[in-house]
Structure formats: structure tokens, C-alpha cells
């Protein structure tokens, strides 16, 4: 696959009770946590439809989408606090709160796109937790390790009326937590160009 491909990963928790770490905000709808996957599916459907209708909009790079779908409810196969699970990347992680399932499914989706499809730029669409504060609950949030990509997302938000807020990229803040994790295997080399 070419290294210049458009990739989207969308969080889709189709029913979310919080798992064994039951949600305490009983009024929240259990089906709201799938809007990231719906947005990615909608964007990719639109891009494909427009390209099929207008040959001048030729897609110059392949499109890849990972709809990161799961149900988070209580049952005999539910994961539990303190479980250790292995991610798609090979990284082992400890579950501390079963209501934080989104980071697991999106992490696996992003790993799949990077490792199996050779994607170097991945746009992740997901609902955010309340820990992001007031601003991100009322606007989209952008977190990027690439300043140009952040600017493009912010500009697209302004043009579409979906205002975005830049969030601080601080990987060093995670260093103590990451130091306790098993390192993942290296990604495969990118495929040669056609």
C-alpha cells in the first residue's frame, strides 16, 4: 500500500453501560458513544460517492477506515478491572476502569491501520470523556503531533461551522504510565510504491 493514504478510525461503542464499572450518570443515553464511527463511515461514503459521480475528483490515494465497534455491557465475557489485555500492537495494558473501553478499541483500530495498511496519518473520530472539560463538550477537539495537520483540521472546522479546539500534545505526560507497559513489536516496513 502507498504510504500516502487517507485513514480514518472511528470509535463506535454501540451500547455502553460502563461494563462492570457501571456509569453513575443514569440519564446519559447508552447509544451516544458511536458517533465517531458514524462520522467516519459518513465521510468515507461521501468521498466515495463524490468520486464516483465526478471523474475530476479522482482519488489519488487509497481510503482506509476502521470502524472500531464494540458493546460495553455486563456479561460472562465482560472484561474486569485489573485484567491485563494484549492490544493489536502487541502492547499489554491493564484495565483500571471498564468504562474506558474506547481507548482500547480505537487503539486497536489505529494500530491495524498503521501496521496492516501502512497508514502514516490517521484521523481518529471519537466522543470525548468529561475529563476534557467544558470546551470540548461543546466543540470538537483536535490533538495532533503534526502542527500542519492541526491547522488543517482547525481551518476545516471553521469553514464547516464545526468549531474545533486545539488540545495540548504532551506525550511526556504519559511517560510514567508507559514505562510500566510491555513495548510493542516494531511496525513492518512500508510497502514499496507501485
Amino acid at each position: 500500500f502507498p504510504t500516502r493514504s487517507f485513514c480514518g478510525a472511528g470509535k463506535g461503542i454501540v451500547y455502553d453501560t460502563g461494563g462492570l464499572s457501571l456509569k453513575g450518570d443514569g440519564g446519559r443515553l447508552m447509544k451516544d458513544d458511536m458517533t465517531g464511527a458514524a462520522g467516519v463511515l459518513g465521510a468515507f461514503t461521501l468521498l466515495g460517492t463524490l468520486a464516483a459521480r465526478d471523474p475530476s475528483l479522482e482519488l489519488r490515494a487509497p481510503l482506509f477506515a476502521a470502524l472500531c465497534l464494540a458493546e460495553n455491557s455486563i456479561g460472562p465475557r465482560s472484561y474486569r478491572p485489573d485484567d491485563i489485555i494484549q492490544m493489536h500492537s502487541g502492547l499489554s495494558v491493564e484495565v483500571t476502569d471498564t468504562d474506558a473501553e474506547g481507548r482500547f478499541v480505537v487503539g486497536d483500530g489505529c494500530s491495524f491501520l498503521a501496521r496492516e495498511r501502512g497508514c502514516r496519518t490517521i484521523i481518529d473520530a471519537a466522543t470525548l470523556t468529561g475529563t476534557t472539560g467544558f470546551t470540548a463538550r461543546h466543540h470538537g477537539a483536535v490533538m495532533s503531533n503534526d502542527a500542519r495537520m492541526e491547522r488543517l483540521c482547525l481551518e476545516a472546522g471553521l469553514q464547516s461551522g464545526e468549531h474545533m479546539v486545539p488540545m495540548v500534545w504532551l506525550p511526556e505526560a504519559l511517560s510514567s504510565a508507559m514505562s510500566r507497559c510491555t513495548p510493542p513489536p516494531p511496525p513492518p516496513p512500508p510497502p514499496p510504491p507501485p
Side-chain angles (χ1 to χ4, degrees):
F1 298 101
T3 56
R4 294 281 181 194
S5 52
F6 181 82
C7 306
K11 176 181 163 190
I13 307 302
V14 296
Y15 193 78
D16 187 12
T17 67
L20 293 174
S21 303
L22 280 172
K23 292 186 178 296
D25 59 355
R28 185 171 160 245
L29 295 174
M30 299 295 178
K31 296 183 179 182
D32 285 349
D33 219 2
M34 62 178 151
T35 55
V40 168
L41 180 60
F44 275 67
T45 301
L46 177 64
L47 287 169
T49 301
L50 291 175
R53 286 187 190 162
D54 185 351
S56 68
L57 296 176
E58 174 190 347
L59 297 175
R60 296 189 180 107
L63 300 176
F64 293 107
L67 302 181
C68 310
L69 305 175
E71 178 179 300
N72 190 19
S73 59
I74 299 172
R77 296 183 63 202
S78 298
Y79 69 136
R80 299 169 304 275
D82 299 329
D83 278 356
I84 305 294
I85 61 174
Q86 185 171 12
M87 304 289 289
H88 178 273
S89 66
L91 186 71
S92 295
V93 297
E94 179 181 7
V95 176
T96 57
D97 182 343
T98 62
D99 195 24
E101 77 294 330
R103 65 195 72 192
F104 297 128
V105 296
V106 171
D108 279 348
C110 290
S111 174
F112 171 80
L113 290 170
R115 293 168 183 277
E116 308 290 330
R117 296 295 179 255
C119 299
R120 296 293 173 249
T121 300
I122 300 171
I123 297 176
D124 159 28
T127 52
L128 297 169
T129 65
T131 58
T132 57
F134 173 82
T135 304
R137 276 188 253 145
H138 297 279
H139 302 288
V142 175
M143 180 183 289
S144 179
N145 62 350
D146 181 289
R148 182 176 173 273
M149 179 57 74
E150 181 180 271
R151 279 193 307 279
L152 287 172
C153 290
L154 294 172
E155 288 171 16
L158 287 172
Q159 290 177 13
S160 68
E162 294 289 338
H163 298 280
M164 309 290 275
V165 176
M167 295 182 71
V168 179
W169 171 252
L170 286 173
E172 61 276 7
L174 301 174
S175 62
S176 65
M178 295 302 289
S179 67
R180 297 188 307 263
C181 298
T182 307

